[in-house]
Amino acid sequence: KAGVTQTPRYLIKTRGQQVTLSCSPISGHRSVSWYQQTPGQGLQFLFEYFSETQRNKGNFPGRFSGRQFSNSRSEMNVSTLELGDSALYLCASRDSTDTQYFGPGTRLTVL
Amino acid sequence: GENVGLHLPTLSVQEGDNSIINCAYSNSASDYFIWYKQESGKGPQFIIDIRSNMDKRQGQRVTVLLNKTVKHLSLQIAATQPGDSAVYFCAENGSPGGSARQLTFGSGTQLTVLP
């Protein structure tokens, strides 16, 4: 069974732009969570989607948003990019035992 | 707020020795704990998990111990190999103030295996 896939793997943007990241969960997994990883803050929860509904949200500004499609694929969007948004963005899908499996991440650099 | 934290940021061990990585958590309501391994340039990889109704769980070369009394979690790696070099995170899958579940991660421990 294929793992969690994320596209693109690397992205360079400039301040003020917006970006959309994509995640495809493991087949059969209906829950997708997003995390931001930075050297200073570590791994921080962004939000979780289940059956196309946002089920939980972390402490991030409204510039961070997401959605989930009927096939469980998910996208997250960051608008008005700031330098501090440079990070590794990780997506994880959850199985029926609550175990979360992570994708390789998208490395976002904001210049 | 409540958080999960690691005692040591770095750990160096000789190849073949056993490694012990520790983690303290503060959310007494946490009922599920996970250890992840993250190699450079990769996403976190699930290693082993344990639920709060257990004290110990063993996998292949790894053992997780849970002490709910002192809110402490540890990961033991037997016969550490060079491929074990990575950052190890503990995470708790509780629900701090909410009904949904999310992972709260510790800061991570860098394990380096020396030849």
Side-chain angles (χ1 to χ4, degrees):
Chain A
K1 189 181 276 191
V4 178
T5 58
Q6 293 186 244
T7 56
R9 291 293 313 278
Y10 302 92
L11 208 48
I12 300 175
K13 293 285 188 179
T14 57
R15 282 180 297 174
Q17 287 186 310
Q18 68 93 27
V19 66
T20 299
L21 312 180
S22 181
C23 169
S24 292
I26 293 171
S27 178
H29 291 189
R30 296 166 61 190
S31 165
V32 172
S33 297
W34 288 90
Y35 294 82
Q36 181 196 64
Q37 186 175 28
T38 60
Q41 299 297 319
L43 275 152
Q44 293 187 294
F45 173 78
L46 279 157
F47 28 65
E48 180 194 11
Y49 286 87
F50 180 84
S51 294
E52 302 178 65
T53 301
Q54 187 180 88
R55 193 157 66 168
N56 196 16
K57 191 177 191 302
N59 295 323
F60 279 82
R63 299 184 298 106
F64 292 82
S65 62
R67 60 177 175 168
Q68 187 179 33
F69 302 94
S70 58
N71 61 358
S72 294
R73 190 178 69 85
S74 177
E75 289 182 347
M76 67 162 283
N77 183 78
V78 188
S79 62
T80 320
L81 284 166
E82 301 176 0
L83 296 179
D85 297 333
S86 294
L88 180 66
Y89 289 89
L90 292 159
C91 167
S93 71
R94 185 197 302 272
D95 67 11
S96 58
T97 67
D98 269 348
T99 301
Q100 294 195 29
Y101 298 91
F102 285 83
T106 294
R107 172 73 62 185
L108 172 65
T109 301
V110 182
L111 302 176
Chain B
E2 302 203 276
N3 57 72
V4 179
L6 294 178
H7 290 295
L8 298 173
T10 62
L11 176 65
S12 296
V13 298
Q14 291 293 137
E15 182 178 354
D17 287 352
N18 296 334
S19 303
I20 300 176
I21 301 172
N22 297 302
C23 175
Y25 65 94
S26 56
N27 184 358
S28 55
S30 297
D31 59 1
Y32 181 50
F33 304 87
I34 313 106
W35 281 100
Y36 285 93
K37 169 187 179 184
Q38 188 173 26
E39 297 173 279
S40 181
K42 297 183 180 180
Q45 175 189 355
F46 173 87
I47 302 173
I48 192 168
D49 59 2
I50 188 168
R51 298 195 180 271
S52 58
N53 60 351
M54 302 173 69
D55 297 322
K56 178 180 179 179
R57 191 168 186 215
Q58 289 183 295
Q60 187 178 14
R61 285 200 306 117
V62 295
T63 301
V64 55
L65 299 177
L66 176 62
N67 185 330
K68 295 180 287 294
T69 302
V70 295
K71 290 184 281 189
H72 183 268
L73 192 67
S74 69
L75 176 69
Q76 300 178 2
I77 304 173
T80 313
Q81 302 169 359
D84 294 328
S85 293
V87 177
Y88 289 80
F89 294 96
C90 66
E92 55 100 356
N93 196 16
S95 304
S99 59
R101 301 173 72 81
Q102 66 190 60
L103 286 177
T104 301
F105 283 84
S107 55
T109 292
Q110 173 69 58
L111 174 65
T112 301
V113 181
L114 305 172

